Amino acid sequence: MSIGQTFLGLLESSPRHGYDLKRAYDERFGHARPLHFGQVYSTLSRLLRNGLVEVDSVEPGEGPERKRYAITEAGVTDVGQWLAQPERPEPYLQSVLYTKVVLALLTGRAAADLLDTQRAEHLRLMRELTRRKAEGDLAEQLICDHALFHLEADLRWLELTAARLDELATEVRG
């Protein structure tokens, strides 16, 4: 996710301080990976340098002065273009899991055990996401659904691969 464009989108509604941007970002998008303050201010610095935001006001504080940032017209245009562009689907054509399965087969290790271990981890994460979904608001439910659908697809792949493991072993060893 582009933190810069996300900040621009958050700034469209009203100017904000860096701390307020971090809080809004973390509440809406950063459940699993909250932003570090260093990321916030380096991103704001880059947006400022590129003319996408401007300092709306400076307020004295007990520590350093607090800057409030506002989006510029160029920033509105930039975030609008970003929102209009579709995201490239990620087909995962070369996954780490596939690589592990092939290497296990090539080295004589138990690829079926690797698939079973991975299946257990996927199921554990699915239970955790299902719990979060049940306890969450609509935004959290939608995020969890997205992740759950991806995990379900992974599980289907794990089952397919387990069913074709002997065939794959013959192919990679031959």
Side-chain angles (χ1 to χ4, degrees), residues 30-78:
H31 293 285
R33 293 176 58 191
L35 290 177
H36 297 285
F37 280 105
Q39 285 178 284
V40 172
Y41 293 105
S42 65
T43 300
L44 284 169
S45 178
R46 190 182 81 254
L47 293 172
L48 188 63
R49 185 178 61 248
N50 293 337
L52 303 175
V53 299
E54 61 190 7
V55 175
D56 182 59
S57 64
V58 178
E59 301 168 4
E62 292 182 17
E65 294 179 325
R66 292 185 52 188
K67 296 177 184 174
R68 195 166 81 164
Y69 297 88
I71 192 169
T72 63
E73 284 303 314
V76 171
T77 300
D78 188 78

Side-chain angles (χ1 to χ4, degrees), residues 30 49 118 124:
R49 185 178 61 248
Q118 191 62 49
R124 183 201 62 76

Side-chain angles (χ1 to χ4, degrees), residues 21-168:
L21 276 171
K22 178 191 176 349
R23 189 178 65 219
Y25 182 96
D26 288 350
E27 284 175 6
R28 297 206 182 269
F29 313 111
H31 293 285
R33 293 176 58 191
L35 290 177
H36 297 285
F37 280 105
Q39 285 178 284
V40 172
Y41 293 105
S42 65
T43 300
L44 284 169
S45 178
R46 190 182 81 254
L47 293 172
L48 188 63
R49 185 178 61 248
N50 293 337
L52 303 175
V53 299
E54 61 190 7
V55 175
D56 182 59
S57 64
V58 178
E59 301 168 4
E62 292 182 17
E65 294 179 325
R66 292 185 52 188
K67 296 177 184 174
R68 195 166 81 164
Y69 297 88
I71 192 169
T72 63
E73 284 303 314
V76 171
T77 300
D78 188 78
V79 75
Q81 290 172 345
W82 179 68
L83 290 172
Q85 288 180 324
E87 288 298 307
R88 180 178 176 187
E90 296 182 29
Y92 307 107
L93 292 178
Q94 184 60 38
S95 77
V96 173
L97 187 53
Y98 173 77
T99 302
K100 285 183 169 186
V101 169
V102 170
L103 288 175
L105 292 171
L106 287 172
T107 60
R109 290 180 173 86
D113 291 349
L114 183 150
L115 293 170
D116 288 342
T117 300
Q118 191 62 49
R119 184 181 304 105
E121 181 59 18
H122 271 62
L123 292 171
R124 183 201 62 76
L125 182 55
M126 290 177 82
R127 285 190 296 275
E128 179 184 321
L129 288 167
T130 301
R131 180 193 50 74
R132 279 180 55 187
K133 180 180 167 183
E135 298 169 358
D137 60 8
L138 180 58
E140 183 76 3
Q141 292 169 15
L142 291 171
I143 296 269
C144 289
D145 280 338
H146 186 264
L148 284 164
F149 292 149
H150 281 273
L151 290 169
E152 286 174 8
D154 287 349
L155 282 175
R156 286 194 312 267
W157 182 85
L158 289 166
E159 295 301 323
L160 175 69
T161 303
R164 298 172 77 185
L165 208 49
D166 290 338
E167 182 183 347
L168 181 61

